[in-house]
Amino acid sequence: MINKLKFYLNRLPWQNKLVLSGSTAIFFTFFIFSFLEYHTVSKWMMNREEIVVNRTITDLKTYYKDKADSLTREEIKNSRDFLRKINDKDQLIRVYDQKGEVVVSDKNGNFTVLEPTPIKSQLIEKISAEGKEAIVARSPIKGTNFEGTIEIVRQLNNYQKMMDHFFWVMTVFGMAAILFSAISGFFLARQLLTPVRDLTNAMKRIKETGFQGRMEVYKQKDELTELTNVFNEMMDEIETTFLQQKQFVEDASHELRTPVSILEGHLSLLNRWGKKDPAILDESLQASLQELARLKKLVVDLLELTRAGSQRSLSGEKANIPAVLQRVVKNLEVVHPDFQFKMELEQRLPYVLISEQHLQQLLIILLDNSIKYSRNNRLIQVSCTRIDKNVLLSVIDNGIGIPSEHVSEVFNRFYRIDKARSRENGGTGLGLSIAKQLIEKYNGAISIESEEGIGTKVNILLPAAF
């Protein structure tokens, strides 16, 4: 039975679950409150009834005590008027002697016959007879010539009517409250789940039409509004990533097509005439080898760019800029002996939060660009200084420079100002894009200052390790 109930509840829509859970919680809360309130009121009213009975007994005992010296059966009988005067509705007062013989009584209502019970000390109790509840109080009286018991029987008709009325009022009010909570819970759940339904519809639209769909941002500042903002931001990032990936594939396809076409042309040339012509054979082989080298470099750069885009920040790794820089410059001096590298490094530079491998890769990219695009002046300067909690690394050359309108574009993939010159130098247009992505992974920044015909200065700002 329980498993069937769980299965049924699990199949309910969230809106119905919210309404059902809210109504159930309100029902149990109201039930507990009503139960406690009912018993509290019942006890309070019962105490009131007992107080009335005790007060009546006290009045009777005071009345008979004043006549204790002359208290006789006759005096007891003559007190009927007093009994009638103090008696209430649905109440029986009687006095009987030690043998249980009733001397005087007054009743105001219909009562079940009770056996007289003489007692030695005062007591009060609750009895039930013939479906009716009553309070019975007994107290002994003693005079010079009489000894007996005062008995008061008070029916709880008013108490029972009041409690029945109270019970039905609470029941009706409880049912109305549950009904109201169910209706209000339905509309409230519907209102609360509106952003969830909108999110579902937005996902369906995105599935059908693409990444352009967004959710409407609600004015109220709550968790669902935050969910909407996060969803829209996520879709913005997904759309941006998708467009970048699409552009990357298109650019990569275009870049790969050129060397492949050149290789295909030379191989076709060799197939037609180059077999018997040594000059054509040598020229085609040299050109094919150059294009293969360029193709290999392009593939390597593409892999580096992919890795740079997927790697996360490794804030625990540190690098010593002077040591890495000297190692890179020493290797470049061997390959390019006609270039002069001048280093201006601040003393006691702190380590920077970047792996040595990535720092070395950044320096090779920047210095290689400076070498490629330098003219007669073959001096390349590298400076490094500490700025607050960061370290600024600058690479300065006296090359051809970058036109001002192109400075903001050089970090884009495959972007080259002079494609012919870049092809001649073996460039792929991916170096600065790789550098930018690596630096941003380590919470750094890169910028370029350049003037055409004068030179270029590349600034890298990396967080220092303390």
Side-chain angles (χ1 to χ4, degrees):
M1 181 65 183
I2 297 178
N3 291 333
K4 289 184 178 179
L5 182 60
K6 288 183 178 179
F7 177 75
Y8 174 74
L9 291 176
N10 288 333
R11 295 184 61 185
L12 287 176
W14 267 106
Q15 182 171 331
N16 294 348
K17 287 181 182 178
L18 288 175
V19 174
L20 183 61
S21 59
S23 301
T24 303
I26 291 174
F27 169 76
F28 280 109
T29 303
F30 183 80
F31 176 80
I32 295 172
F33 172 77
S34 300
F35 177 81
L36 295 175
E37 185 179 24
Y38 182 84
H39 282 275
T40 301
V41 172
S42 175
K43 187 176 181 181
W44 177 77
M45 293 187 65
M46 185 62 69
N47 288 337
R48 297 271 301 177
E49 296 289 339
E50 291 177 358
I51 289 172
V52 171
V53 172
N54 285 327
R55 187 169 60 241
T56 303
I57 283 184
T58 301
D59 291 344
L60 285 171
K61 288 174 69 176
T62 303
Y63 177 79
Y64 289 129
K65 186 177 181 181
D66 293 339
K67 300 179 179 183
D69 295 337
S70 60
L71 187 61
T72 62
R73 292 178 67 90
E74 194 64 29
E75 285 290 337
I76 298 294
K77 289 181 180 179
N78 292 334
S79 65
R80 185 185 302 275
D81 291 337
F82 180 72
L83 266 62
R84 187 178 295 115
K85 181 179 179 182
I86 66 173
N87 201 7
D88 287 337
K89 184 180 178 181
D90 297 325
Q91 186 170 270
L92 166 66
I93 302 176
R94 62 180 181 175
V95 181
Y96 46 84
D97 58 20
Q98 291 296 98
K99 297 179 180 180
E101 182 180 343
V102 177
V103 179
V104 64
S105 67
D106 183 79
K107 65 178 180 177
N108 194 351
N110 298 320
F111 294 88
T112 303
V113 178
L114 298 177
E115 187 71 23
T117 306
I119 59 170
K120 296 297 183 180
S121 61
Q122 183 172 326
L123 64 84
I124 184 169
E125 60 181 344
K126 182 180 177 182
I127 65 170
S128 179
E130 298 181 359
K132 293 184 178 181
E133 293 183 339
I135 293 178
V136 179
R138 297 183 180 94
S139 180
I141 59 170
K142 188 175 182 180
T144 304
N145 300 312
F146 181 81
E147 186 175 350
T149 301
I150 301 172
E151 181 183 78
I152 298 177
V153 180
R154 184 177 179 87
Q155 290 184 338
L156 299 176
N157 294 337
N158 289 335
Y159 164 82
Q160 196 63 47
K161 288 179 181 178
M162 180 65 71
M163 294 309 298
D164 289 344
H165 179 72
F166 186 61
F167 173 79
W168 284 109
V169 168
M170 294 186 67
T171 301
V172 172
F173 180 77
M175 296 298 293
I178 293 173
L179 181 62
F180 174 77
S181 66
I183 296 174
S184 59
F186 173 81
F187 288 105
L188 181 61
R190 186 176 180 181
Q191 181 66 26
L192 290 176
L193 292 175
T194 297
V196 179
R197 285 193 294 270
D198 291 344
L199 179 61
T200 303
N201 294 331
M203 289 181 176
K204 290 179 180 179
R205 288 196 305 271
I206 291 169
K207 182 180 178 181
E208 294 174 357
T209 62
F211 295 109
Q212 293 76 23
R214 297 293 184 275
M215 281 187 66
E216 180 182 354
V217 179
Y218 298 93
K219 295 181 179 179
Q220 63 270 23
K221 302 297 182 181
D222 54 18
E223 291 80 0
L224 292 175
T225 303
E226 185 177 354
L227 174 64
T228 301
N229 292 330
V230 171
F231 175 78
N232 288 338
E233 291 173 2
M234 180 187 69
M235 290 309 304
D236 290 340
E237 292 183 5
I238 291 175
E239 184 179 11
T240 301
T241 303
F242 176 77
L243 293 175
Q244 289 177 348
Q245 184 180 18
K246 182 181 178 183
Q247 185 65 40
F248 174 78
V249 172
E250 292 176 355
D251 293 342
S253 300
H254 175 76
E255 293 296 323
L256 290 170
R257 186 169 61 246
T258 302
V260 170
S261 299
I262 294 173
L263 284 172
E264 182 182 17
H266 282 287
L267 289 174
S268 298
L269 182 63
L270 286 174
N271 187 46
R272 287 198 299 267
W273 300 294
K275 297 176 183 178
K276 299 179 181 179
D277 190 336
I280 295 178
L281 177 62
D282 183 65
E283 180 183 355
S284 296
L285 287 176
Q286 290 299 324
S288 298
L289 288 173
Q290 290 177 0
E291 291 302 320
L292 281 174
R294 182 173 177 274
L295 187 60
K296 180 181 178 181
K297 187 176 187 311
L298 180 60
V299 171
V300 171
D301 286 348
L302 288 173
L303 290 175
E304 289 293 338
L305 184 63
T306 303
R307 292 194 188 103
S310 61
Q311 288 171 340
R312 295 184 177 273
S313 174
L314 303 175
S315 56
E317 297 194 43
K318 298 183 292 184
N320 185 348
I321 289 182
V324 176
L325 180 59
Q326 289 175 4
R327 186 165 62 247
V328 172
V329 169
K330 185 176 180 181
N331 293 334
L332 289 175
E333 285 176 339
V334 174
V335 180
H336 304 281
D338 52 337
F339 277 85
Q340 181 183 357
F341 298 91
K342 182 180 179 181
M343 291 184 288
E344 297 178 358
L345 308 180
E346 184 179 307
Q347 295 295 323
R348 297 181 180 179
L349 279 172
Y351 280 58
V352 289
L353 295 175
I354 188 173
S355 69
E356 287 196 0
Q357 176 189 353
H358 287 157
L359 179 60
Q360 181 174 326
Q361 186 178 1
L362 289 173
L363 291 172
I364 290 174
I365 290 173
L366 299 182
L367 293 173
D368 186 59
N369 279 347
S370 296
I371 292 170
K372 285 178 184 176
Y373 299 105
S374 291
R375 294 183 296 184
N376 296 328
N377 190 338
R378 305 217 163 180
L379 173 64
I380 297 176
Q381 302 176 63
V382 181
S383 65
C384 195
T385 182
R386 176 178 170 180
I387 300 178
D388 296 330
K389 297 181 179 180
N390 301 289
V391 175
L392 177 64
L393 174 66
S394 300
V395 177
I396 307 168
D397 63 54
N398 300 287
I400 62 174
I402 304 172
S404 58
E405 66 270 17
H406 293 283
V407 171
S408 60
E409 306 291 336
V410 294
F411 293 110
N412 295 337
R413 296 169 179 175
F414 301 108
Y415 189 85
R416 287 170 297 196
I417 301 169
D418 187 343
K419 294 187 178 181
R421 184 179 179 87
S422 296
R423 181 177 297 277
E424 180 183 339
N425 292 332
T428 61
L430 293 174
L432 288 177
S433 182
I434 294 172
K436 186 173 187 294
Q437 290 203 22
L438 281 176
I439 292 169
E440 289 178 350
K441 291 297 178 182
Y442 289 95
N443 300 317
I446 182 172
S447 61
I448 291 180
E449 302 172 17
S450 185
E451 188 172 349
E452 189 174 9
I454 296 179
T456 300
K457 180 180 181 181
V458 181
N459 297 313
I460 295 178
L461 196 66
L462 290 171
F466 296 99

